[in-house]
Amino acid sequence: MDRPVAALAYDYAANDHVPVHEHPKAQLIYAIEGTMTVTTREGRWVLLPTRAVWVPAKTRHSIHMRSALRMRTLYFDETVTAPSRNCAVVEVSPLLRELILSMLQEPRSYEKTGRGSHLAALIRDELRFTQTLPLHLPWPKDARLRKVCEGMQRRPSLREGMDYWATEISMSSRTLARLFRKELNMSFQEWRTQLLLLEAQVRLAQGHTSSRIAANLGYDSHAAFCAMFRKSLGMSPTQHLQPH
C-alpha cells in the first residue's frame, strides 16, 4: 500500500508454520495472544504477548507458532525510524498495543489526512521510544554445531553438559567449546543459559508455574532458576509478562 504504515491481522493454530519469506517493507511482528518463534539466518527470537520483533526490509525469516496465536503485524516504508538496524525484540507498551489495534480498524488505503494517517504518525513516534530486549538466540552456520544446537533446543535442559553433546557429534569437548566461541561469540554455558531463559519465558506465557519449569529444565532448585532469571532480565519470573 502507498502508505507509511500498513496493518494486517492473521490467526494461527498451535504448531502452524510460516515458511521462509521476506517483505519489501520493514515489519513489526506482534501477537495479542499466544507465543511464537521468529527465525532468520542470524538467530531466533521468542515473542511473548507484550513483545514484538522488528524485521528490517528484505530480511528472510520464518515463524513457528508455539500456541494458538492472534498476530497483528505492521509494515513500514523507508521513512520510519527503526528501533534497530537488525532484527530485535522490542517492548510493546499499552499505548502501542492500542494503536496497533486501532490501526486495524482503518481501511488499508486510509485517507492521508484522516484518522488512519494520525494513528500511523503516532505509531511511528511510539516506535522510536521502544526498548530492545535480550530475547535473541544466535544460530550457528557450522553444520556440526547446528546439530548440537538443534538437539539442545529440542530438549532444553541443564542435565546434558558439553561432554554429552561433544560425544553426540564425535568431537572433543575442547573443540566444541572453540566452535561455540568462534561461531556464536558465546561459551557453551552462556548459549545454553540463553536457550533456557527463552524457553522458560515461553512456558511462563503458556501458564506453567515457575517451580514446574525449574524442575523440567533441570535446575537443582526453584531458587536457582529464579536467580538465573533475575540476573538475566532484571526481574522475577512473575514480572516478566508485565509491560514496563
Side-chain angles (χ1 to χ4, degrees):
M1 306 304 298
D2 182 25
R3 298 293 185 273
V5 181
L8 290 174
Y10 305 93
D11 292 344
Y12 296 96
N15 294 317
D16 277 355
H17 182 76
V18 179
V20 175
H21 64 289
E22 65 181 63
H23 305 287
K25 291 187 175 184
Q27 183 182 14
L28 187 71
I29 303 175
Y30 174 59
I32 56 175
E33 291 181 12
T35 58
M36 59 181 150
T37 302
V38 177
T39 301
T40 72
R41 293 176 62 183
E42 287 71 39
R44 299 185 178 186
W45 286 261
V46 170
L47 294 190
L48 309 172
T50 57
R51 319 288 193 244
V53 67
W54 173 259
V55 181
K58 300 181 181 178
T59 299
R60 293 180 62 76
H61 61 285
S62 61
I63 308 173
H64 174 70
M65 315 307 160
R66 295 289 301 266
S67 66
L69 185 134
R70 299 172 64 197
M71 184 187 294
R72 305 296 183 259
T73 189
L74 298 175
Y75 299 89
F76 299 87
D77 67 12
E78 67 282 355
T79 63
V80 69
T81 300
S84 172
R85 293 181 59 187
N86 303 308
C87 287
V89 172
V90 298
E91 186 85 47
V92 176
S93 67
L95 174 57
L96 181 56
R97 181 184 188 277
E98 294 306 315
L99 288 170
I100 293 170
L101 297 181
S102 296
M103 195 71 198
L104 284 162
Q105 298 172 7
E106 296 296 311
R108 292 182 186 174
S109 296
Y110 51 83
E111 294 293 332
K112 294 185 178 181
T113 57
R115 179 175 182 266
S117 180
H118 293 308
L119 288 171
L122 285 171
I123 288 171
R124 291 164 63 191
D125 282 344
E126 187 68 7
L127 195 62
R128 292 172 52 217
F129 298 99
T130 56
Q131 294 183 348
T132 58
L133 302 169
L135 300 180
H136 168 229
L137 190 68
W139 207 248
K141 295 180 175 63
D142 184 278
R144 298 164 299 171
L145 186 55
R146 193 163 60 244
K147 182 178 179 180
V148 170
C149 292
E150 288 171 349
M152 293 173 70
Q153 189 173 55
R154 285 192 298 270
R155 303 194 308 276
S157 175
L158 284 173
R159 296 183 182 93
E160 289 91 16
M162 186 158 58
D163 291 343
Y164 170 86
W165 290 108
T167 301
E168 284 288 292
I169 58 171
S170 303
M171 181 183 291
S172 71
S173 297
R174 182 174 296 180
T175 301
L176 181 58
R178 286 199 297 266
L179 262 182
F180 266 94
R181 283 292 184 190
K182 178 182 177 181
E183 284 273 313
L184 304 173
N185 199 30
M186 302 172 76
S187 69
F188 170 87
Q189 290 79 10
E190 289 169 340
W191 193 90
R192 183 176 63 178
T193 296
Q194 186 70 354
L195 169 67
L196 297 179
L197 176 66
L198 298 183
E199 184 63 26
Q201 291 178 89
V202 170
R203 297 186 187 190
L204 284 166
Q206 293 173 341
H208 298 201
T209 65
S210 57
S211 57
R212 175 185 173 188
I213 294 169
N216 289 342
L217 295 183
Y219 284 87
D220 291 335
S221 67
H222 181 235
F225 167 72
C226 290
M228 178 280 295
F229 203 99
R230 185 175 289 279
K231 180 180 179 181
S232 299
L233 293 182
M235 65 184 75
S236 70
T238 57
Q239 296 171 320
H240 85 291
L241 288 179
Q242 301 171 3
H244 300 278

